[in-house]
Amino acid sequence: MDRSPALLLLLALGLSEYGHGSIEMKIRSRNDISQLRVGQRLELECQTDRESGAFWMHQDKSGILHFIVFISSMSRTTFSRNHNRFEAGKDNKIYRLVVKSFTTQDEGKYFCLMNVNQMLHFSPGQPVFLPVTTTVAPTTSRPTPKQDRTEDPSLRTPDPERTQEELNFFCHIFIWVPLAGACLLLLIALLITIVLCRRKAHHNLIKTPSRCSS
């Protein structure tokens, strides 16, 4: 479909037709758009309150407007160069547009445009899109629940904190036990020394008077 050059040319052709008062334009589809498929025939109708001629425009998914056809008040049609894909006509105040074989490039919004009192009037856009196909995710089998069984204590993973406490405990044993043993030996040696000294002192005290008496 041609873009702005053809659009401007055909808009200029429509300047000679005038309307009066407010304009009512409404677009509806003669087939179920929600069930549209590639290759299917799409039929749109633009219901108006005037017979002054109308344009059909297409806004593609990228937002670019394309001219399709101009339908005059005498039911004459002026298409763009790729007119073989479309049909158009007029029945009283209803302007029809037919897409013979719908494709993905025909997706977008369709507008009915009228030139009245040198002012362009757009109808509300009619969105036409192919249904979105959803891909079904493959079903995954659920994991088999594990049976309850008694866990072997020897296979358990050791607790790091508990292991560190045990190591500290053994370290304390290796440090304090020898130290306590050494202290005990020193205490025993001290007691033995005190006992021996007291015996020697007592023995010397007994021998001293005997020397004096002789």
Side-chain angles (χ1 to χ4, degrees):
M1 286 177 284
D2 295 340
R3 297 182 184 178
S4 54
L7 173 61
L8 295 176
L9 175 60
L10 291 170
L11 288 179
L13 294 177
L15 292 178
S16 60
E17 303 193 12
Y18 297 89
H20 303 279
S22 60
I23 297 177
E24 294 182 3
M25 289 186 292
K26 185 186 302 181
I27 296 181
R28 71 181 185 90
S29 174
R30 299 187 64 179
N31 46 353
D32 189 0
I33 296 179
S34 63
Q35 302 297 326
L36 189 62
R37 295 292 185 270
V38 174
Q40 185 176 344
R41 183 182 177 91
L42 173 66
E43 300 183 19
L44 300 175
E45 290 183 349
C46 179
Q47 299 178 350
T48 69
D49 59 352
R50 302 296 176 95
E51 295 188 29
S52 56
F55 299 87
W56 275 102
M57 307 289 299
H58 170 228
Q59 184 181 29
D60 61 22
K61 291 186 290 187
S62 61
I64 300 176
L65 280 173
H66 303 268
F67 166 74
I68 300 177
V69 64
F70 171 70
I71 307 172
S72 69
S73 59
M74 303 299 294
S75 299
R76 295 177 181 176
T77 57
T78 305
F79 285 92
S80 60
R81 286 181 295 179
N82 53 348
H83 63 278
N84 294 328
R85 300 181 56 245
F86 303 98
E87 294 177 358
K90 175 178 175 293
D91 184 10
N92 293 327
K93 298 178 182 180
I94 298 177
Y95 297 86
R96 298 187 307 273
L97 174 67
V98 176
V99 182
K100 296 180 182 180
S101 180
F102 196 85
T103 64
T104 55
Q105 67 178 356
D106 297 318
E107 291 184 300
K109 287 186 178 181
Y110 287 81
F111 297 90
C112 185
L113 174 64
M114 300 186 75
N115 178 35
V116 179
N117 293 333
Q118 298 183 356
M119 294 184 62
L120 299 178
H121 300 268
F122 280 83
S123 70
Q126 173 63 58
V128 180
F129 294 93
L130 294 169
V132 178
T133 57
T134 57
T135 304
V136 179
T139 57
T140 56
S141 58
R142 296 183 179 180
T144 305
K146 296 182 179 179
Q147 298 179 353
D148 296 336
R149 55 186 178 181
T150 305
E151 185 179 1
D152 189 356
S154 62
L155 299 178
R156 293 180 181 177
T157 303
D159 186 3
E161 296 183 358
R162 184 175 180 180
T163 303
Q164 184 65 33
E165 293 178 358
E166 292 177 354
L167 291 176
N168 293 336
F169 176 75
F170 287 120
C171 290
H172 292 164
I173 291 177
F174 288 126
I175 294 175
W176 290 106
V177 169
L179 183 61
C183 293
L184 181 60
L185 292 177
L186 291 175
L187 181 60
I188 294 174
L190 181 61
L191 291 175
I192 293 174
T193 303
I194 293 173
V195 171
L196 292 175
C197 290
R198 291 184 64 179
R199 286 182 178 180
K200 186 176 181 180
H202 181 70
H203 181 71
N204 292 334
L205 183 62
I206 295 174
K207 291 178 66 177
T208 302
S210 59
R211 289 179 181 178
C212 295
S213 58
S214 59

